[in-house]
């Protein structure tokens, strides 16, 4: 029988004393619930010197930001812990370390990253981390290559796909990314002035067909173990360091979904900066975002190809030129999914600080309009953008 109960701060401290893996558990004395996410409880556990030592995260049996009316599987804690453990094996330098997981309580213990900051929070303030984009590309290449058919034995791959079946979390993505923004759904939220633009998305046949294709590939293409939600709020940064967290949407899906989600959040920031910063700083920030987009893709693609050349185990897939051919499809998917991320963050229900923090209403509306326009442009052009330089040219042209 399940012994699930929702943790209080005191429960979290007791749990950390038992399973926190600290040398001196008796020094752990207090906890603070710091979850700013939409779904879960996150406790920082402090010692008697006031230093935070470990983090305890617990899944709630419903969507936190909506309430008990929207129930949600506790199994997502397992999927998050196991995805991060798997990614840590392949890229320990850029993945948070999970040290303990408990299925009954839907709890995990992880390394404390208080020395880092959430990247989105930095991006909206114009704080630049010049190494972050290359590190993110490295994380994506290492985690996605090492969980793909390039290297897993076919039996192992099939067992892994089964282990990471994540239907309820996938359904959220299926609805929020690919359905809601293109229909008149009550969850959607956007400025009234943009109604004509949003309505035009619903009636754009080429767009709807392209989005259907992206959703179809999200259902069908089990290419690698995705993070599943790798936006700038799931990434911690510090000087010279980057760590991915919060992988409860992990499942085997199309590689371009992770890469596109990452790029989409950089471009949301690109679209929001004119409303967030003074003109000079905004212009600098936009150039940084474009070079971030270039660096993420180049770091990802170079490392992926290098790994494919060195480590591909499948004889057919090892044939020279195949990995390049595959990456061309990943590139087209990346641009398409990037476009859907821009639209679901502006038309759909999950809005982000890059837009929400813009104080001037007219400016905010214009920034959101630009993000929607860019998203649509990218979805429609995904199969026709040759390389990353052509992508940057398209972005400059569009907004
Ligand atoms: P959710 O799944 O509810 O979105 P997250 O895993 O994103 O939860 O965590 C919510 C917030 O808690 C993060 O934005 C961050 O501020 C904080 N947090 C999460 N993990 C850690 C960690 N390992 N160290 C420090 N703070 C963390
Ligand atoms: Mg989160
Ligand atoms: Mg549904
Ligand atoms: Mg989460």
């Amino acid at each position: 029988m399940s012994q699930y109960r929702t943790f209080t701060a005191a429960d979290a401290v007791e749990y950390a004393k038992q399973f926190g893996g600290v040398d001196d558990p008796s020094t752990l004395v207090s906890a603070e619930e710091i979850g700013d996410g939409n779904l879960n409880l996150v406790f920082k556990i402090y010692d008697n010197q006031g230093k935070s030592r470990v983090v305890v995260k617990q899944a709630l049996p419903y969507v936190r930001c909506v309430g008990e009316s929207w129930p949600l599987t506790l199994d997502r804690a397992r999927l998050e812990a196991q995805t991060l453990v798997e990614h840590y094996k392949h890229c320990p330098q850029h993945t948070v370390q999970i040290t303990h997981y408990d299925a009954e309580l839907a709890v995990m213990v992880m390394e404390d990253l208080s020395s880092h900051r959430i990247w989105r929070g930095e991006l909206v303030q114009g704080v630049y981390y010049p190494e972050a984009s290359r590190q993110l590309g490295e994380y994506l290449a290492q985690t996605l290559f090492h969980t793909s058919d390039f290297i897993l034995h076919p039996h192992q791959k099939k067992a892994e796909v089964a282990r990471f079946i994540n239907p309820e979390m996938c359904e959220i993505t299926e609805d929020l990314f690919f359905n809601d923004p293109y229909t008149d759904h009550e969850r959607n939220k956007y400025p009234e002035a943009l109604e004509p633009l949003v309505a035009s998305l619903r009636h754009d046949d080429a767009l709807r067909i392209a989005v259907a294709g992206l959703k179809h590939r999200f259902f069908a293409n089990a290419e690698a173990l995705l993070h599943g939600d790798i936006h700038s709020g799931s990434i911690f940064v510090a000087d010279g360091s980057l760590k991915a967290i919060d992988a409860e949407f992990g499942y085997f899906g199309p590689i371009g979904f992770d890469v596109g989600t990452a790029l989409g959040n950089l471009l949301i920031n690109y679209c929001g900066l004119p409303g967030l910063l003074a003109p000079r700083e905004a212009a600098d920030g936009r150039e940084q975002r474009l070079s971030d987009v270039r660096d993420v893709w180049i770091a990802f693609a170079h490392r992926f190809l290098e790994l494919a050349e060195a480590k591909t185990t499948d004889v057919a897939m090892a044939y020279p030129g195949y990995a390049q051919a595959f990456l061309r499809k990943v590139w087209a998917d990346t641009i398409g999914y990037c476009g859907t991320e821009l639209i679901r963050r502006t038309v759909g229900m999950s809005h982000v600080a890059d837009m929400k923090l813009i104080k001037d209403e007219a400016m905010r509306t214009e920034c959101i309009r630009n993000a929607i326009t860019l998203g649509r442009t990218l979805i429609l052009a995904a199969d026709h953008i040759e390389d990353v330089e052509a992508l940057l040219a398209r972005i400059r042209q569009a907004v």
Side-chain angles (χ1 to χ4, degrees):
M1 277 310 282
S2 169
Q3 301 171 332
Y4 181 84
R5 64 183 192 283
T6 303
F7 272 9
T8 62
D11 292 331
V13 174
E14 278 317 299
Y15 197 81
K17 282 185 179 174
Q18 236 185 319
F19 300 108
V22 298
D23 300 333
D24 43 0
S26 64
T27 64
L28 299 178
V29 291
S30 64
E32 184 191 3
E33 206 278 306
I34 52 160
D36 59 355
N38 296 328
L39 299 180
N40 305 294
L41 294 175
V42 180
F43 297 94
K44 252 186 211 182
I45 313 296
Y46 293 91
D47 67 16
N48 52 14
Q49 309 290 308
K51 186 178 178 322
S52 63
R53 299 289 295 276
V54 291
V55 165
V56 172
K57 178 171 178 177
Q58 183 178 43
L60 295 167
Y62 51 83
V63 177
R64 184 178 184 177
C65 66
V66 175
E68 301 191 23
S69 62
W70 187 342
L72 195 58
T73 178
L74 292 174
D75 192 39
R76 69 186 192 273
R78 175 185 71 82
L79 288 149
E80 171 167 0
Q82 291 184 352
T83 300
L84 290 169
V85 164
E86 192 60 30
H87 283 189
Y88 187 86
K89 273 189 216 161
H90 307 303
C91 197
Q93 66 277 34
H94 300 310
T95 310
V96 65
Q97 186 174 21
I98 304 295
T99 53
H100 177 81
Y101 160 70
D102 182 318
E104 309 241 305
L105 289 165
V107 162
M108 72 200 80
V109 181
M110 66 183 105
E111 97 184 88
D112 174 56
L113 290 172
S114 299
S115 57
H116 290 58
R117 288 161 179 270
I118 291 291
W119 199 12
R120 192 187 302 285
E122 302 293 271
L123 288 169
V124 299
Q125 292 180 61
V127 185
Y128 186 34
Y129 289 79
E131 291 167 75
S133 48
R134 188 194 52 75
Q135 293 172 328
L136 178 53
E138 176 75 11
Y139 165 80
L140 292 166
Q142 294 288 353
T143 57
L144 297 170
F145 176 83
H146 284 105
T147 57
S148 77
D149 296 286
F150 282 89
I151 187 155
L152 294 185
H153 185 279
H155 292 187
Q156 191 192 0
K157 165 74 185 319
K158 289 167 180 70
E160 286 293 87
V161 170
R163 183 160 73 104
F164 286 97
I165 294 279
N166 195 355
E168 286 193 37
M169 301 307 283
C170 284
E171 186 181 0
I172 293 177
T173 301
E174 288 147 15
D175 288 342
L176 298 190
F177 266 76
F178 306 115
N179 294 357
D180 292 6
Y182 309 94
T183 56
D184 187 7
H185 200 285
E186 64 189 9
R187 279 189 295 241
N188 290 338
K189 206 170 65 195
Y190 50 84
E192 218 179 305
L194 299 183
E195 180 58 35
L197 175 62
V198 173
S200 74
L201 303 179
R202 294 178 212 136
H203 304 110
D204 182 333
D205 292 339
L207 183 75
R208 298 292 300 270
I209 289 169
V211 170
L214 290 161
K215 188 181 188 192
H216 191 178
R217 297 198 286 288
F218 185 84
F219 283 137
N221 288 13
E223 292 172 351
L225 176 59
L226 306 187
H227 177 286
D229 195 24
I230 189 73
H231 60 84
S232 52
S234 300
I235 297 171
F236 267 115
V237 289
D239 262 348
S241 176
L242 176 144
K243 304 267 181 186
I245 63 164
D246 196 11
E248 66 201 310
F249 287 82
Y251 89 114
F252 274 79
I255 287 173
F257 182 83
D258 264 9
V259 186
T261 298
L263 297 192
N265 281 273
L266 293 171
L267 292 180
I268 282 270
N269 183 256
Y270 173 89
C271 291
L273 280 177
L276 292 166
L277 303 179
R280 191 65 179 276
E281 283 73 45
D284 289 348
R286 277 159 74 92
E287 288 308 311
Q288 289 157 5
R289 282 314 75 67
L290 293 182
S291 79
D292 284 343
V293 165
R294 179 192 288 117
D295 291 350
V296 169
W297 175 260
I298 289 178
F300 163 75
H302 282 195
R303 181 68 77 207
F304 197 97
L305 279 181
E306 185 183 285
L307 291 167
E309 270 171 33
K311 294 177 128 179
T312 300
T313 48
D314 182 81
V315 284
M317 290 173 68
Y319 199 80
Y322 177 68
Q324 283 87 339
F326 174 70
L327 273 188
R328 281 193 286 278
K329 290 195 198 171
V330 172
W331 172 240
D333 275 357
T334 294
I335 298 168
Y337 288 119
C338 173
T340 60
E341 176 71 359
L342 282 160
I343 289 180
R344 75 104 171 188
R345 294 291 189 185
T346 46
V347 176
M349 79 173 279
S350 311
H351 288 236
V352 287
D354 309 67
M355 294 296 169
K356 282 199 282 195
L357 292 181
I358 299 173
K359 292 197 188 78
D360 182 80
E361 198 184 320
M363 183 58 128
R364 187 170 62 246
T365 299
E366 281 325 292
C367 290
I368 292 173
R369 184 195 302 280
N370 285 339
I372 297 170
T373 302
L374 179 60
R376 171 193 234 156
T377 300
L378 296 184
I379 294 168
L380 288 169
D383 291 332
H384 311 289
I385 297 178
E386 196 59 29
D387 56 22
V388 74
E389 297 308 326
L391 173 64
L392 300 188
R394 281 280 181 148
I395 296 165
R396 287 186 199 278
Q397 197 181 43
V399 288

